[in-house]
Amino acid sequence: MKVFVTGATGYIGGSVAKVLLEAGHVVYGLVRDPNKVEPLKQIGIEPVLGTLEDTEVLTRYAQLSDAVIHTADSDHRTAIETFIAALRGSGKPFLHTSGSSVVGDDARGDSKSENIYNEETPFVPMDIRADRVAINNLVRKAGIDDWVRSVVIVPSMIYGDALGLPTESDQLPQIIRKSKEIGAGVHVGKGVNRWSNVHIRDLARLYLLALEKAPSSSYFFAENGEESFEDIAKSVSEALGFEGRTVSWPVDDAIAELGDWARFAIASNSRVRAVHARNLLGWNPSEEPMFSWIEKMN
């Protein structure tokens, strides 16, 4: 298949593109930085210079390709509407990337939620995630109304080395950065809040499976375990040579430095189970656990 991937230089998009190439697909990769055109070519991706604002480019390559995988910006509604319009009536796959912060709470690191969500569990999103949930619903609705084989993939906390161009995920790198700055493993508040997690290669394989056989309007969490942020802080501390020492980062300070991202990404609970991925697609995550990867990080 010819697959148009947005975010091809990013952590998720580049890794998904690499797995697609390994499976024999042709990948067109949207890239906004001209300096990254040649590096993309070197790993086998056919670069498409443009941004999510270039609706003509998005439309042309969506229609030229056999499928679209959107990983560049979960909240860019105009780009998503452009893809749906371009693919309407085609039956082509459109895979959209969300994130499990949609089920997150406002725990501020101080409480562990007993709520564990699968793909069928009802939930009310935090205020700062309502728009993202609306976009997810828009994509799924296109699978019913617009004859597009639409799929929403909802990763939890991602770890592991990027498979495409060198880059990083979001949550763990921020924790590692702040831990290096302070000289101890860092968690927000009490650190008892918990997040599910998934290795980047397992996640990329899920995209491949979804591309090949996911039903229209489907929705997949991606996870293979969960940990508390206090335990993540201890693991990072040990890996950085801080002998397991941890400190609490006051939530107001974290929000002042990182904005509302701190509330939904490292201070909330997001406990999910990838029931549909395993049962409908036969997804079987097999990469090393998160703490094992942290132990070996550079």
Side-chain angles (χ1 to χ4, degrees):
M1 297 174 68
K2 294 180 292 185
V3 185
F4 183 34
V5 178
T6 67
T9 62
Y11 182 65
I12 297 177
S15 299
V16 169
K18 181 67 173 176
V19 167
L20 293 174
L21 292 169
E22 291 171 353
H25 298 291
V26 173
V27 177
Y28 300 122
L30 186 69
V31 53
R32 62 185 176 188
D33 183 352
N35 294 323
K36 293 185 178 179
V37 166
E38 193 57 37
L40 282 184
K41 288 181 180 178
Q42 291 176 4
I43 62 175
I45 297 171
E46 298 187 23
V48 176
L49 195 60
T51 73
L52 294 179
E53 303 296 331
D54 296 325
T55 56
E56 291 183 6
V57 172
L58 301 188
T59 299
R60 181 165 69 252
Y61 275 88
Q63 294 176 343
L64 174 67
S65 302
D66 301 306
V68 173
I69 299 179
H70 178 55
T71 74
D73 183 346
S74 300
D75 304 308
H76 200 296
R77 190 177 182 108
T78 299
I80 293 152
E81 290 173 340
T82 298
F83 283 132
I84 291 171
L87 296 173
R88 184 172 290 124
S90 69
K92 293 179 181 180
F94 173 44
L95 277 59
H96 169 66
T97 306
S98 183
S100 72
S101 64
V102 293
V103 302
D105 56 16
D106 201 11
R108 300 181 174 241
D110 287 341
S111 61
K112 168 190 167 183
S113 173
E114 299 303 323
N115 295 327
I116 300 176
Y117 299 88
N118 64 41
E119 294 86 351
E120 303 298 332
T121 309
F123 66 93
V124 176
M126 292 173 65
D127 54 345
I128 49 179
R129 276 293 173 257
D131 288 346
R132 179 170 291 190
V133 170
I135 287 173
N136 293 348
N137 292 337
L138 174 69
V139 173
R140 297 188 72 187
K141 188 172 183 290
I144 298 170
D145 296 343
D146 298 308
W147 211 57
V148 176
R149 184 157 69 86
S150 63
V151 179
V152 177
I153 296 181
V154 189
S156 52
M157 182 188 298
I158 314 171
Y159 64 94
D161 297 327
L163 309 182
L165 299 184
T167 185
E168 292 183 321
S169 185
D170 292 326
Q171 291 158 294
L172 271 178
Q174 285 285 12
I175 293 168
I176 293 165
R177 176 195 63 81
K178 194 65 177 179
S179 297
K180 288 179 177 178
E181 176 186 316
I182 291 179
V186 169
H187 54 77
V188 174
K190 296 177 182 176
V192 294
N193 54 311
R194 301 180 68 84
W195 262 69
S196 300
N197 57 70
V198 64
H199 192 283
I200 184 61
R201 184 173 284 277
D202 284 328
L203 175 62
R205 291 181 184 130
L206 175 57
Y207 278 82
L208 180 61
L209 286 170
L211 176 68
E212 294 171 346
K213 59 183 181 179
S216 187
S217 193
S218 52
Y219 185 94
F220 298 100
F221 283 127
E223 61 75 34
N224 191 34
E226 67 173 40
E227 302 294 345
S228 73
F229 278 82
E230 180 181 30
D231 288 341
I232 293 170
K234 289 177 182 176
S235 180
V236 168
S237 174
E238 290 167 356
L240 293 177
F242 300 144
E243 300 178 342
R245 294 190 304 275
T246 64
V247 297
S248 172
W249 192 8
V251 64
D252 290 341
D253 292 351
I255 293 171
E257 182 171 328
L258 302 175
D260 263 344
W261 182 89
R263 279 179 66 206
F264 64 73
I266 58 175
S268 65
N269 292 278
S270 179
R271 307 178 67 191
V272 300
R273 299 294 181 265
V275 175
H276 283 183
R278 290 176 169 89
N279 292 346
L280 297 180
L281 302 181
W283 182 60
N284 183 28
S286 58
E287 298 296 324
E288 65 181 330
M290 183 169 66
F291 287 167
S292 174
W293 178 79
I294 290 173
E295 287 173 8
K296 296 184 288 188
M297 69 181 184
N298 295 326

